[in-house]
Amino acid sequence: MFLNYSARELNIKIVYCGPDLAGQKTSYQYVRSKFPPQRGEWWHTHSTLVGRTDSFDFVPPGLGEIRGFKSRIHLFVLVVHVASENTRRLMLKGVDGVIFVADSQRQCAEDNLSSLEEMERNLVDMGYDPVKLPRVYSYNKRDLPDALPVEELEKQLNPQRKYPSFETIASQGVGVLASLKGVLRAILLDATQGG
């Protein structure tokens, strides 16, 4: 978290992670559609040789102030599906919390696990303890007929049920804001407990 004393803002960076085509971009776009830019807020697309990231920041309504600071959320997603691991690693720089979007389709189970392992490896490379970093799981595409049961996804990705998980259908916005609120809650709880 970054404190901007002159603006009296607490800046929080949240990154959508997960395997290609799991629904990170769709989730991001849904959130962005629900928080149209206000004065002083922005969205940005950054293209590089190896990928493109989108980000926007917003002040969530109803959150209130925390010790005299209003919270500003900076939400990031990688939107090019063939980005390198280095690009995904760089996106995690300065992260306060992660929404891991898993594809619920049975044939994507290995991709989910591989992407999770890469994310955790990248967090370690960036100097984070991936176990302590606030995280939630968004089990996406729950409306598809070949969706794995949530219990099986939990067993594969969140075996100790350490992190909150949410069933989502990003294309319809189902559960997307709940997962964002979940990671925000985990970040603020971690901050108040000195994590």
Side-chain angles (χ1 to χ4, degrees):
M1 280 184 249
F2 171 74
L3 288 175
N4 180 336
Y5 287 97
S6 62
R8 303 294 296 166
E9 288 180 344
L10 173 66
N11 291 275
I12 299 169
K13 180 178 180 180
I14 299 171
V15 175
Y16 280 102
C17 293
D20 291 343
L21 303 174
Q24 303 93 303
K25 181 180 175 185
T26 305
S27 298
Y28 166 90
Q29 289 172 329
Y30 180 79
V31 172
R32 193 168 143 205
S33 75
K34 293 299 174 189
F35 296 99
Q38 304 291 320
R39 185 171 179 231
E41 298 175 349
W42 59 275
W43 68 272
H44 179 72
T45 298
H46 179 71
S47 295
T48 67
L49 293 174
V50 292
R52 191 179 106 212
T53 59
D54 276 7
S55 63
F56 81 105
D57 70 273
F58 63 99
V59 176
L63 187 60
E65 292 188 353
I66 300 168
R67 297 187 182 190
F69 288 81
K70 64 182 173 185
S71 295
R72 180 173 294 276
I73 309 302
H74 300 265
L75 200 57
F76 287 77
V77 67
L78 191 64
V79 293
V80 174
H81 303 299
V82 291
S84 72
E85 185 173 349
N86 285 337
T87 301
R88 289 188 291 271
R89 182 182 302 120
L90 287 173
M91 196 168 64
L92 292 169
K93 185 175 183 177
V95 70
D96 296 304
V98 170
I99 300 172
F100 187 87
V101 181
D103 192 321
S104 292
Q105 296 177 95
R106 185 169 297 279
Q107 73 264 20
C108 296
E110 282 298 318
D111 291 340
N112 288 331
L113 194 53
S114 175
S115 182
L116 179 63
E117 289 168 353
E118 178 189 288
M119 180 194 78
E120 290 180 341
R121 184 173 60 249
N122 287 338
L123 286 168
V124 169
D125 289 348
M126 298 292 290
Y128 294 96
D129 181 346
V131 174
K132 293 182 179 176
L133 184 73
R135 170 193 321 180
V136 300
Y137 288 95
S138 169
Y139 297 136
N140 195 31
K141 302 183 184 180
R142 299 305 305 156
D143 56 330
L144 298 182
D146 62 341
L148 288 167
V150 171
E151 296 75 29
E152 198 168 328
L153 289 164
E154 290 279 65
K155 185 177 176 185
Q156 292 172 0
L157 303 173
N158 192 17
Q160 293 157 357
R161 310 249 172 149
K162 178 176 173 55
Y163 307 102
S165 62
F166 301 86
E167 294 185 56
T168 61
I169 306 170
S171 61
Q172 299 171 27
V174 174
V176 173
L177 293 180
S179 63
L180 177 62
K181 289 176 186 174
V183 76
L184 186 55
R185 189 177 308 115
I187 291 167
L188 295 175
L189 182 63
D190 184 62
T192 58
Q193 295 177 346

